[in-house]
Amino acid sequence: MASSARRAADRAGDSTVVHALARGGFVGYGLLHLAVAWLTLQIALGHSSGETDQSGAFQLMVRQPFGRVLVWIIVVGLCGMALWQLLAAATGYRDERGTRKVFERIGAAGRTVIYAALAWDAAKVAAGSPTSSAGQQRQTTAGVLAHTSGRVLVALAGVAVLGGGIGLIVFGAKRAFAKRLDTGRMGPGTRTAATVSGMLGYLAKGVGYGIAGGLLFVAAVHRDPKKSGGLDAALHSLAGKPYGQVLLIVIAIGFAAFGVYCFFQSRYRDV
């Protein structure tokens, strides 16, 4: 039965439909990051009126002409990406050996959850039920902090998110993402553009989520859930800091660069 299930997963993983959905999903993922970049820039310029995270980005999209249709298309693409990563977690990375293979599959499982959560969030916004990611995180944090060992759990979550942010920075600085692209099909100019956009994108995301992890840790130390709030709170926390405006503009450029990198992934990523 296990062998039969593995063969079925392999066939699904090689499906043209799954590949097409995954590649389309990268386009949607790129648009999401371009929207986040725009919202981050609004914070830097003092014009922010909503959340600066995936929920705010989807709400921005849905307000545009044909935006609701676009968000539904993105939902389908994100579901395709989630399915692709689920199959990779189950049967992928066969060229890897030992712990490397295990870590790659765990990473794929984690991305499955991320893409599925984004798809769910986008679907709720497209259906007319906008959500508040920052508010939900504060509510969840408050619930956890109410328990005896809540501060420890929230602190550990903050450290984990901070570690993830640092990991993204290292991943981008080492250009480790390049091995996932079929660079042999790229010309010199395309290869340079993909590399630069990938580096800037991962560095910016690492800084943003690193700050979010730090705020979550501070929320645990002070037992104050208001200090948490994910990426939205992290970016707003920079607005009043010295050189905060400059840093926000740099982060906005980085998120936009990651959006462009997603478009390169749509065409050149090994799926």
Side-chain angles (χ1 to χ4, degrees), residues 82-95:
L83 176 59
W84 163 49
Q85 286 299 294
L86 178 62
L87 294 170
T91 64
Y93 305 103
R94 293 187 178 180
D95 293 337

Side-chain angles (χ1 to χ4, degrees), residues 40-65:
T40 303
L41 184 61
Q42 297 309 297
I43 295 178
L45 300 178
H47 300 154
S48 175
S49 59
E51 290 189 9
T52 312
D53 55 11
Q54 64 268 18
S55 294
F58 289 133
Q59 290 169 34
L60 173 65
M61 290 183 197
V62 86
R63 290 195 296 268
Q64 309 310 311

Side-chain angles (χ1 to χ4, degrees), residues 3-229:
S3 177
S4 177
R6 189 177 297 109
R7 287 196 298 270
D10 287 340
R11 287 194 298 272
D14 292 333
S15 168
T16 302
V17 175
V18 173
H19 288 191
L21 287 173
R23 294 195 184 281
F26 275 119
V27 175
Y29 203 44
L31 292 174
L32 169 63
H33 282 83
L34 290 178
V36 171
W38 173 254
L39 293 172
T40 303
L41 184 61
Q42 297 309 297
I43 295 178
L45 300 178
H47 300 154
S48 175
S49 59
E51 290 189 9
T52 312
D53 55 11
Q54 64 268 18
S55 294
F58 289 133
Q59 290 169 34
L60 173 65
M61 290 183 197
V62 86
R63 290 195 296 268
Q64 309 310 311
F66 306 106
R68 196 173 300 276
V69 175
L70 174 61
V71 173
W72 277 120
I73 293 173
I74 290 174
V75 169
V76 175
L78 288 171
C79 287
M81 293 177 73
L83 176 59
W84 163 49
Q85 286 299 294
L86 178 62
L87 294 170
T91 64
Y93 305 103
R94 293 187 178 180
D95 293 337
E96 304 291 350
R97 294 291 182 271
T99 56
R100 177 72 178 181
K101 181 177 181 178
V102 173
F103 284 129
E104 290 285 8
R105 288 189 172 183
I106 291 174
R111 289 187 290 273
T112 299
V113 175
I114 292 171
Y115 294 145
L118 285 173
W120 175 249
D121 200 16
K124 287 194 290 186
V125 173
S129 302
T131 59
S132 171
S133 296
Q136 287 179 348
Q137 176 163 327
R138 293 189 182 99
Q139 186 177 10
T140 301
T141 302
V144 175
L145 287 175
H147 294 282
T148 305
S149 58
R151 295 178 71 179
V152 175
L153 293 175
V154 173
L156 289 175
V159 171
V161 175
L162 174 60
I166 294 173
L168 288 173
I169 292 173
V170 174
F171 190 77
K174 294 175 66 174
R175 305 179 188 181
F177 56 85
K179 70 177 184 179
R180 298 177 175 175
L181 301 175
D182 186 0
T183 55
R185 294 195 293 119
M186 295 180 178
T190 302
R191 191 180 302 114
T192 299
T195 301
V196 172
S197 61
M199 286 183 63
L200 291 176
Y202 277 108
L203 290 173
K205 290 187 69 173
V207 170
Y209 287 106
I211 295 173
L215 290 177
L216 195 57
F217 184 83
V218 170
V221 172
H222 295 281
R223 191 166 278 178
D224 183 4
K226 293 181 181 180
K227 294 183 181 296
S228 65

